[in-house]
Amino acid sequence: MAEFFQSIGSFFEALFHAIGGDIGILSSILDIAIVAVIIYNVIKIVRETRAGTLVKGMLILGVCYVLAFYLKLQTLTFILDNLSKVLVFGLIVIFQPEIRRALEQLGRTRLNKIKILGVGGVLSEEDVMQRVQRTIDAVCKSVKVLQGQRMGALIVFERDIKLVDIVKTGTVINAEASPELIGNIFFVKAPLHDGAMIIRDGYVCAAGCILPLSQNSEISSELGTRHRAALGMSENSDAVVVVVSEETTAISIAYKGFLMRDVSIDVLKETLQKRLIHDVVGDGTSEKSPFWKGRSK
């Protein structure tokens, strides 16, 4: 086996030399490219979260240390020098949500869509997509009814990241989604209406679930608990969260830490199809630039 891999390595090495390439230069280019991609994604994650403010604070401390060192401010230099030794461990605690999010994005892969050795159920991907489409239609119909009756709702569509811990906080249902079921769950006097509904693979998985609230200090004071919970869920997972305001009947969509407010039923349906069907099938749609970024009002 070792000889086989050595022969493959020798083949590619000979190929690089044959085309006039140099292994050292190619390795350096590959090294720089990988590091550049890592730095780009780190900056992207930092900019999209509250970690940006923390990074600015760290940069200010760094500038203070440099100035204190060159100006020979011994006491300040001593304090900052010892502070930097424990800062590495502090960063793990401070940036824990961002580190978790980065690792989840790294581990998110299309491999979980592939049935290996027949594992993964008997339904084909087309059957699942049809069921998801029926669920989207049911949610849109029920949202329209809820708006008319001025009742709120919080609906979470699970995607690649499984929300097992969130499901445990509520009541397991495991039923096919229908406008009647969704309407009954969010009826004002129903016992589960205050929590969130979790939809998994086109089924209503659970209801009455508790979601993590967003810690973003820049959230508008106009937003209530439902919207903060929706943003918190979207910050900690790749889920698509739909909110119906009980006060204004406005529809909002939270995804990847961004919130699009006051959307129509048509936009809701289009967005759910885009994120739950087209992105899964892979029609070339990119998630790198969410179209609602900066459109919250």
Side-chain angles (χ1 to χ4, degrees):
M1 182 64 70
E3 294 179 356
F4 172 73
F5 286 110
Q6 288 178 358
S7 62
I8 293 178
S10 300
F11 169 76
F12 282 107
E13 185 175 354
L15 180 62
F16 286 138
H17 284 295
I19 62 176
D22 183 83
I23 297 298
I25 295 176
L26 290 175
S27 298
S28 299
I29 294 175
L30 181 61
D31 189 20
I32 294 172
I34 293 174
V35 172
V37 170
I38 293 174
I39 293 175
Y40 168 78
N41 282 279
V42 169
I43 293 175
K44 184 173 180 288
I45 291 173
V46 167
R47 288 185 61 186
E48 292 179 353
T49 63
R50 60 192 178 93
T53 306
L54 299 176
V55 171
K56 292 177 183 177
M58 292 172 53
L59 292 175
I60 292 173
L61 286 177
V63 172
C64 291
Y65 178 81
V66 173
L67 292 175
F69 179 80
Y70 281 102
L71 295 176
K72 300 187 183 303
L73 304 178
Q74 296 182 359
T75 304
L76 184 58
T77 303
F78 174 79
I79 293 174
L80 293 175
D81 185 47
N82 284 275
L83 183 63
S84 64
K85 294 178 181 178
V86 297
L87 191 59
V88 175
F89 299 99
L91 289 177
I92 298 176
V93 178
I94 294 173
F95 292 109
Q96 186 269 336
E98 284 72 28
I99 294 173
R100 177 179 176 178
R101 180 180 175 187
L103 292 175
E104 286 175 343
Q105 289 179 353
L106 183 63
R108 196 180 306 153
T109 173
R110 297 302 178 191
L111 290 177
N112 61 352
K113 305 292 182 184
I114 301 175
K115 298 176 183 177
I116 301 175
L117 298 179
V119 177
V122 296
L123 290 178
S124 66
E125 184 175 294
E126 183 179 354
D127 292 332
V128 174
M129 291 303 102
Q130 289 177 354
R131 189 172 64 199
V132 171
Q133 180 61 63
R134 291 195 298 269
T135 302
I136 292 173
D137 294 337
V139 168
C140 291
K141 289 179 181 178
S142 62
V143 164
K144 192 171 182 179
V145 173
L146 291 171
Q147 281 184 304
Q149 298 180 354
R150 301 191 71 85
M151 292 190 294
L154 183 57
I155 304 173
V156 180
F157 288 87
E158 182 186 76
R159 298 180 79 225
D160 290 341
I161 298 177
K162 301 306 176 185
L163 308 177
V164 179
D165 293 338
I166 302 298
V167 170
K168 289 180 180 178
T169 64
T171 301
V172 177
I173 296 178
N174 284 335
E176 256 190 73
S178 67
E180 294 77 15
L181 174 62
I182 299 172
N184 285 335
I185 288 175
F186 289 112
F187 179 66
V188 177
K189 295 184 180 180
L192 302 177
H193 82 280
D194 273 337
M197 174 187 292
I198 310 298
I199 294 181
R200 172 185 295 167
D201 295 333
Y203 281 110
V204 178
C205 178
C209 299
I210 301 173
L211 306 185
L213 298 181
S214 174
Q215 302 300 317
N216 191 339
S217 59
E218 298 179 359
I219 295 178
S220 172
S221 58
E222 299 176 358
L223 299 179
T225 305
R226 277 197 179 98
H227 291 83
R228 293 177 182 272
L231 278 171
M233 189 74 266
S234 69
E235 290 169 355
N236 289 279
S237 72
D238 62 344
V240 181
V241 189
V242 178
V243 185
V244 180
S245 174
E246 191 171 342
E247 292 77 16
T248 65
T249 71
I251 305 170
S252 300
I253 306 171
Y255 180 63
K256 285 193 173 182
F258 297 98
L259 184 69
M260 183 168 66
R261 299 173 60 186
D262 199 14
V263 303
S264 65
I265 293 291
D266 291 335
V267 173
L268 171 63
K269 186 173 185 178
E270 177 187 347
T271 303
L272 292 178
Q273 289 174 336
K274 175 183 176 66
R275 295 303 172 196
L276 303 175
I277 297 178
H278 300 313
D279 283 349
V280 173
V281 174
D283 62 345
T285 303
S286 174
E287 294 187 4
K288 294 182 179 180
S289 300
F291 65 91
W292 51 73
K293 183 175 180 180
R295 290 184 58 179
S296 178
K297 58 181 180 178

